[in-house]
Structure formats: structure tokens, C-alpha cells
Amino acid sequence: MSTANDSNTNALPFLLTGIPGLEALHVWISIPFCFTYIMTLLGNSMVLLAVRLDKSLHEPMYYFISMLAVIDLIFSTAVVPKMLGVFWWDSREIGFEACFIQMFFIHTFTAVESGVLLAMSFDRYIAICNPLRYSTILTSSRTIQIGLLSLARGAGVMTPLMCLLTSLPYCKTRVIPHSYCEHMAVVELACANPSVSDLYSLIMATLLVGADSVFITFSYGMILRSVARLPSQEARLKALRTCGSHVAIILLFYVSGLLSMYLQMFSFSLAPHVQVLVSDFYLTVPPMLNPLIYGIKMKQIQEGIFKVLGQLAGLRTSQADKDRSDAERGRQRQKIIEPTLE
């Protein structure tokens, strides 16, 4: 009987609060989130188009950047539209399955992004420390295999966690004090002991983030040692510039992620709305900043984006010229026909 009741309870939808205590300001709070989402869509789409259309960018490093752009698009789209629905239309209800699907996408693609950042550090290590073998070690097919391996690792780690979480009975309340299905906020609604899922998530997060961080640090340590041995200062600066954007993205990802995680685990006497806002900005701001960092730090991406914009402007100009010429030919035909009719 208890099992049947738990099953019926789990079939009910959850209710998202939005920003606890700031519900009256939801419309105003939505403005920066809407702006960051639009910029995320535009920026990452431009990066993908630039890499797709510019053949000079068909190299492993830019394929990894494309993977990050796809991850950022999925990451934002999994969270922001529903968040804006809560802010604008008070659309607070989210289905039980939809809630855990959203959580699965957030955690899976966080793990995938960590794996891609590790692959990017390996790419820079090979390019700087062993440049003669770069094209043979990192081929296009091998780059795609690394991306698929990162995806499989993320999904493989998160699937057991989702199974553990969905098996818990949620009978305390259906209200999630958050603007999306945040892991810890949802687990607090369970009326059974979630220690197994908590232990699993802690171990997996420590192993994934810890191992990736160690290997990334090792790769850049070896890169710095190789750069220090270069004969000219110009060569050293050029090598460091190529790594600058990667280091900035890595720091943005890990520092903001750790800050968000620790604020969820330990409140530090912060108001609930502050914790929720920090968590929301962690999911929305880095995906917007990543393409800006590529554009500022990497000249090749800048040139690729300008080429795409030039091609789009050229297409519009040629279409406008065609329309004008068609209109002119139409007027000339009309002038020929009118005297004939008279």
C-alpha cells in the first residue's frame, strides 16, 4: 500500500518557486537572463557557423571549440526557457519526468564540458610540446571520437544517479525553492534517506572534476615548461596567447562551478535568493561569455566570424540587387506594353 502511495505521489508535478522572496521582481529579474540567453544563442551559433563555413578552421582545436558551443547551447536551452516561463507567466509547474530530464541534461553536459576542456588542454600540449606529430596524433576522426567519449562518460556517470533519485519517494512537498530542478533542492523533498544518491554524486563529482583538474594542470604545467625554453620572447608570447583563451574558459568553468556547489552545500548564512541567483548565473553567464572569449582572444575565430557576417551581408546585398533589377525590368516591360494598348 505504501509503495502504491509513493508511486502516485511521484506521478504528481513539481512546482518551481523562481527566486524565493523576490517573486514580485520576477519580471525585472528576467531581463538579464533573457539578454544572456539571446547572446548565448547568437554567439555560439556564430562560432559554429564560422567553424563550419571557414575551411581554415577545420582543425582539432576549432572542433573542440565547436563542441563547447554545442554544449553551451544545450546547457542554456535546458534551463533558461522554463526559467523565463516562471518569471513571465508564473508557469511554475514542471512534470516529474521533465524535472529529472532537465537535471540529467544539466549534470551530464557539465561532465561533458569538463571532458572537452581536458581534451583541449591535451590538444594545446601536443601542439606546443610535440608540434611535429600534432597532425598524426590528433586527426579529425580522433577528435570526434574524443568528443563522443566525453559524451558517453557524462551520460554513463549520470544515468545511475538519475535512477537512484527517481526511485526515491517525494512526499514532503511538491514546491522546489529554485528556478530550475536543482539537484540538492529536489533531494530535500524526498521522504526517504537519500544517503546512497548523495554518496554516489559526491564520489562521481570528486573523481570527474578532480581527475580532469589534475590532468589539465599537468598539461599546462608541461606547456609552461616548454614555453620557457623557447629561444625568443616573441615565440613565447605567441604560445601563451594561444593558450590564454583556453585558460580563461577553464577558470570560468571550474571557479564558478565550485562557487555554486559550495554555496548550495554550505549556506554561509546567505539569504536563499542569493544562493539561487548565484546558481542561476552559473548556468547562464559562462555559456554567454565563452564565445566572447574566443572572439577576443583568438584571431582566427574573429576572422571566421567576420567572414560569415560578410557572406550574410553579401547575400542580402545580392538579393536586394536582384529584386531591384527585377523591378526595373518589370517597369520597362510595362512601358513597352502601355503604348501598344493605346
Side-chain angles (χ1 to χ4, degrees), residues 175-341:
V175 178
I176 301 172
H178 223 291
S179 48
Y180 66 93
C181 288
E182 199 275 327
H183 176 198
M184 295 178 189
V186 173
V187 168
E188 288 180 1
L189 307 184
C191 48
N193 187 359
S195 58
V196 175
S197 64
D198 289 347
L199 181 62
Y200 179 85
S201 61
L202 181 63
I203 291 172
M204 288 298 105
T206 303
L207 288 177
L208 281 177
V209 176
D212 289 353
S213 301
V214 167
F215 285 119
I216 288 171
T217 304
F218 173 78
S219 295
Y220 279 100
M222 297 297 291
I223 288 170
L224 288 174
R225 192 177 73 168
S226 297
V227 168
R229 293 176 178 174
L230 293 174
S232 68
Q233 184 177 358
E234 184 180 350
R236 289 196 292 270
L237 290 174
K238 184 178 179 181
L240 290 173
R241 275 197 298 269
T242 60
C243 297
S245 58
H246 302 154
V247 173
I249 291 165
I250 288 166
L251 290 175
L252 181 65
F253 176 75
Y254 285 110
V255 171
S256 59
L258 288 172
L259 176 63
S260 175
M261 184 181 71
Y262 283 127
L263 285 179
Q264 295 299 323
M265 292 175 66
F266 313 103
S267 63
F268 299 110
S269 299
L270 291 173
H273 67 268
V274 175
Q275 297 179 51
V276 171
L277 282 170
V278 169
S279 182
D280 289 348
F281 280 121
Y282 162 65
L283 293 182
T284 56
V285 173
M288 178 192 71
L289 293 180
N290 285 347
L292 295 177
I293 293 170
Y294 306 143
I296 293 170
K297 293 286 187 180
M298 303 187 73
K299 187 178 178 182
Q300 296 89 337
I301 293 288
Q302 282 182 18
E303 293 173 350
I305 291 174
F306 288 144
K307 282 182 183 179
V308 171
L309 293 174
Q311 289 174 2
L312 293 174
L315 286 173
R316 280 196 290 267
T317 302
S318 63
Q319 183 62 41
D321 292 341
K322 183 177 181 297
D323 292 341
R324 280 196 296 270
S325 66
D326 289 344
E328 182 63 29
R329 280 197 296 270
R331 283 194 295 270
Q332 289 175 355
R333 281 197 298 270
Q334 188 67 24
K335 288 178 182 178
I336 293 170
I337 292 169
E338 285 175 355
T340 306
L341 293 174

Side-chain angles (χ1 to χ4, degrees), residues 53-68:
L53 298 177
D54 191 344
K55 292 186 177 180
S56 66
L57 300 180
H58 291 184
E59 296 180 6
M61 178 172 68
Y62 303 110
Y63 290 149
F64 287 130
I65 289 173
S66 297
M67 292 176 197
L68 281 184

